Structures are given as C-alpha cells and as structure tokens.
Amino acid sequence: MKRVLKYIVFALIALLFIGTFVFLFKNSRPTPVKYMEHVASTGSIRRTTVITGRIEPRNEVNVKPQINGIISELRKEAGQMVKEGDVIAKLRVIPDMNSLSSAQSRVRLAEINLKQAKTNYEREKTLYDKQLVSEEEYDQVLQAYRQAQEEHAAAQESLEVIRDGVSSNNATGSSTLVRSTITGLILDIPVKVGNSVIQANTMNDGTTVATVADMSDLIFDGNIDETEVGSLVEGMPMLISIGALPSFSSEAALEYISPKAVENNGVNQFEIKAAVQVNSDHVIRSGYSANAEIVLERADSVVVIPESALEFKGDSTFVYRKTGEDSYERVAVSTGLSDGLNIEIKSGLAVGETVRGTRIYNTGKQ
C-alpha cells in the first residue's frame, strides 16, 4: 500500500513538472505580429475649419436722449417690439442755468420791444386814420410791430424748450420724449426711473436709454486665424450651428473678410461675417455663441486610405501593400489632400488594393 502511494506521488510530481515545462515553452515562443488592414477606396476629402463667433443683429442702435434730464417714465421694456418713432421713455428736464438765464433775458427784452412797438403802432394808426401820415410810414410802423410780436413769440418758445423741453406750439415733437429711431426688438433698457441722462455731444457719447435691433436680419461675427484666412474668398459656403440650439443649423455665404488683423491672445486674427437665415421654428437671441464650418479645400472621387497607414521617411511617403497572406511590400506613393483622418493618394496605389495599417497588440498568448 505504501508503494502504491509512493508511485502516485511520483506521478503527480512528474505531471506538475511536465505541465510547467509546457507552459514555459509556449510562453517563450514569439507572438505572431498582426496588423490592421485597409482597402483603398474611392471617396471625397474635405479640409475644413471651424470658426467660433457670435450671432448679432446687423442693425443695432443705441437710442439716446436729445436733452439732459431725469427719467420720469419708462413706457417700454426689454423684449418688446417697437416701431420707428415709438416713445420709449419720458424725461423731466434739468435746464442749464446759463441757458435758462439767457432765455429769460431774451423774453424780457422782447416784451419791452413789443410794448414799445405796440405804442408806436397805435399812435401811428391814429394819425393814419386822420390822414396825417402817409401810407408808407404807416406800413413801416406796422411791420416793426409784427416783427416785435414774432420775436416775442420766438423768445417765449425758446424759454419753454430750455425750461420744459417742449414748447406749447410743438408738443408732438417734444425733446423730453425718447423715441426709437428704428423698427425692431428692444434688447436692453439700461436705465431706470430716476436715473439722470445726458445728451450726446463732442465731449461724451451720451447716455443710452435703450438698445434696439432688427432681429430679422442676423449675422455671424467671428475671427479666423491668419494661417487660414488666405484660403477664404467672399461667397464661400458656410454651415452655422448654435450651441444653445442643438437642432439649429443654417447655411450661409461668407460676405465680409476684414482687411486688417486684430491681435487676440498674441495671435493675429481676421474678422469675418456671414448672414444667418432666420426661420420661425427657432428663437435666436442676440449674443448666442455659434460655430461656422467652412470647407477650405475639397477633392472628390479620389483614392482614399487612412492617414495612419502611411510611413514617412525624409521627403518620401510609403505604404505597405499586401502581396499575400501576412506578406507586404513597401511602395512609394504620392499624397494629396488630408482631413486629418483620411488622405488622398494621387499615385502608387489603386482602388481595391489592401495596405497594412497599425499593429494589433494582443494581450492573450498564442
């Protein structure tokens, strides 16, 4: 019985030794090298660039007051449509004291002149009625009286405009009413009731009461790097997408390329613009971030392979063309346009031929 157990132990040790030897032998053998394979096919290559920018209205204006004053009433709010001439806000005038004093002085002087002209006219009319003065003398006095009346009316109107911002003879054209200068959508009203506003002059731009824009005519405004601007020409097609509207895309034509570069983070860039087609299915807001894709170059119906299948050596380019089972030959090719993934083969390879790609690394053992 002991002898049998001994044989069994020896047999188990022998099997363990043989198994270890076989395992080590198999793992010591080189793993066959495998490669991905690609078939040359006919296709199209496009080299594109994506430009980031914003959606903006082509016509956007800042509505400013015609006089200095304080906002006493706001009749519109952001988001409302207005027509040209609609009243957006009303002002309470803050008159300039020098101008007010001059206007008051002019009125007083006009009153004195008018009173004297009236006295002269009444005296002259009495003499004329008695036929003691000529008609010519009478007409001269009458004309002077009428001129004094007109001067008094003009002085009074000027005082009302300076003091109140509106004259009694022209209430509809009051400068205290801030009106929209275009038809469009109010984008912003940056003032509140009680805010002081000033009119535009040579010293400052004036206070913006409202920003109004025509939202039916939108443009894409972006910047392109100087290394790519040379490939652009006006009229090139673009595809515009808006990040906030995933389902929106709009075809457009490049309509403006800036002749002057602007520096942005140390890089020279050129401004470009293109019209955006607006439809009723989407509400597009001013300032949306957007991307514009432009096809810089295109090659159609050409031989195409993945760019990863190429081998570069000096100024030459090669591929490994399949000649048999796991056998390849190195051939020189001439390349053309690339989109970063696929590349055009101009010569050296025909449609339907197979080339070697990148190596396949297996974690398992053969």
Side-chain angles (χ1 to χ4, degrees):
M1 186 64 181
K2 291 182 178 180
R3 183 175 297 178
V4 173
L5 290 175
K6 186 183 295 183
Y7 289 150
I8 292 174
V9 171
F10 285 151
L12 291 175
I13 294 173
L15 287 174
L16 180 62
F17 177 77
I18 293 172
T20 302
F21 176 78
V22 171
F23 175 77
L24 294 175
F25 175 76
K26 286 185 176 182
N27 280 275
S28 65
R29 296 179 63 188
T31 303
V33 179
K34 295 291 185 180
Y35 294 91
M36 295 182 65
E37 294 182 341
H38 308 284
V39 178
S41 60
T42 302
S44 298
I45 299 290
R46 300 189 310 165
R47 185 170 73 88
T48 63
T49 185
V50 176
I51 304 169
T52 59
R54 294 160 55 91
I55 301 298
E56 297 178 349
R58 188 187 301 273
N59 187 20
E60 178 178 323
V61 299
N62 292 325
V63 180
K64 300 184 179 183
Q66 299 177 11
I67 58 173
N68 301 334
I70 296 176
I71 300 292
S72 62
E73 182 182 355
L74 287 174
R75 299 186 181 181
K76 301 290 183 181
E77 60 183 19
Q80 288 186 317
M81 292 293 299
V82 291
K83 295 181 179 180
E84 181 179 353
D86 283 356
V87 177
I88 298 176
K90 185 177 180 180
L91 304 181
R92 185 173 74 250
V93 177
I94 304 177
D96 179 77
M97 297 311 296
N98 291 332
S99 299
L100 180 61
S101 177
S102 297
Q104 291 172 336
S105 176
R106 180 184 172 187
V107 170
R108 288 194 295 268
L109 181 60
E111 288 176 346
I112 293 171
N113 292 335
L114 176 60
K115 184 176 181 181
Q116 183 60 48
K118 182 178 181 182
T119 300
N120 294 339
Y121 166 71
E122 291 175 347
R123 183 186 302 118
E124 194 72 14
K125 186 175 186 304
T126 302
L127 296 174
Y128 178 72
D129 290 342
K130 296 178 180 180
Q131 298 183 349
L132 297 176
V133 295
S134 65
E135 184 176 356
E136 182 179 358
E137 292 178 349
Y138 172 75
D139 290 340
Q140 290 177 349
V141 175
L142 176 60
Q143 182 179 3
Y145 176 50
R146 289 174 176 173
Q147 288 177 344
Q149 288 177 319
E150 288 296 324
E151 172 60 25
H152 180 266
Q156 185 65 38
E157 185 173 354
S158 177
L159 174 61
E160 291 174 353
V161 170
I162 293 174
R163 184 188 59 206
D164 305 324
V166 58
S167 68
S168 56
N169 295 327
N170 190 22
T172 57
S174 172
S175 56
T176 60
L177 301 179
V178 182
R179 301 177 183 271
S180 176
T181 54
I182 64 170
T183 297
L185 179 72
I186 299 179
L187 301 182
D188 185 30
I189 296 182
V191 296
K192 298 179 179 179
V193 173
N195 286 160
S196 297
V197 296
I198 57 175
Q199 67 183 103
N201 53 50
T202 57
M203 301 299 294
N204 59 68
D205 295 333
T207 306
T208 297
V209 175
T211 301
V212 184
D214 180 6
M215 296 300 291
S216 64
D217 186 10
L218 301 177
I219 61 171
F220 169 84
D221 190 342
N223 293 298
I224 187 170
D225 191 82
E226 63 178 341
T227 59
E228 297 178 324
V229 72
S231 302
L232 301 183
V233 293
E234 292 183 3
M236 291 181 70
M238 304 169 60
L239 183 64
I240 297 173
S241 58
I242 299 176
L245 303 174
S247 62
F248 174 85
S249 63
S250 171
E251 294 183 354
L254 181 61
E255 61 181 41
Y256 172 77
I257 306 172
S258 174
K260 181 180 179 181
V262 293
E263 186 174 340
N264 187 6
N265 294 327
V267 178
N268 285 337
Q269 294 185 323
F270 291 81
E271 182 184 25
I272 67 169
K273 295 180 181 181
V276 178
Q277 298 180 4
V278 182
N279 57 61
S280 58
D281 296 335
H282 298 88
V283 177
I284 302 179
R285 305 181 188 279
S286 177
Y288 268 158
S289 297
N291 293 326
E293 182 180 1
I294 304 179
V295 179
L296 300 177
E297 295 180 84
R298 186 185 184 108
D300 296 317
S301 301
V302 296
V303 181
V304 176
I305 64 170
E307 192 168 348
S308 59
L310 298 180
E311 180 184 88
F312 301 95
K313 187 174 183 181
D315 295 333
S316 300
T317 307
F318 302 91
V319 296
Y320 286 87
R321 182 170 57 195
K322 187 174 184 179
T323 57
E325 185 67 28
D326 294 332
S327 62
Y328 306 91
E329 64 174 346
R330 189 170 182 247
V331 295
V333 295
S334 175
T335 60
L337 187 63
S338 171
D339 62 6
L341 295 176
N342 298 316
I343 192 167
E344 172 191 3
I345 302 298
K346 291 185 175 181
S347 63
L349 195 66
V351 174
E353 292 184 313
T354 301
V355 296
R356 190 179 79 183
T358 55
R359 182 177 176 180
I360 301 174
Y361 292 91
N362 292 329
T363 56
K365 301 300 179 181
Q366 301 296 325

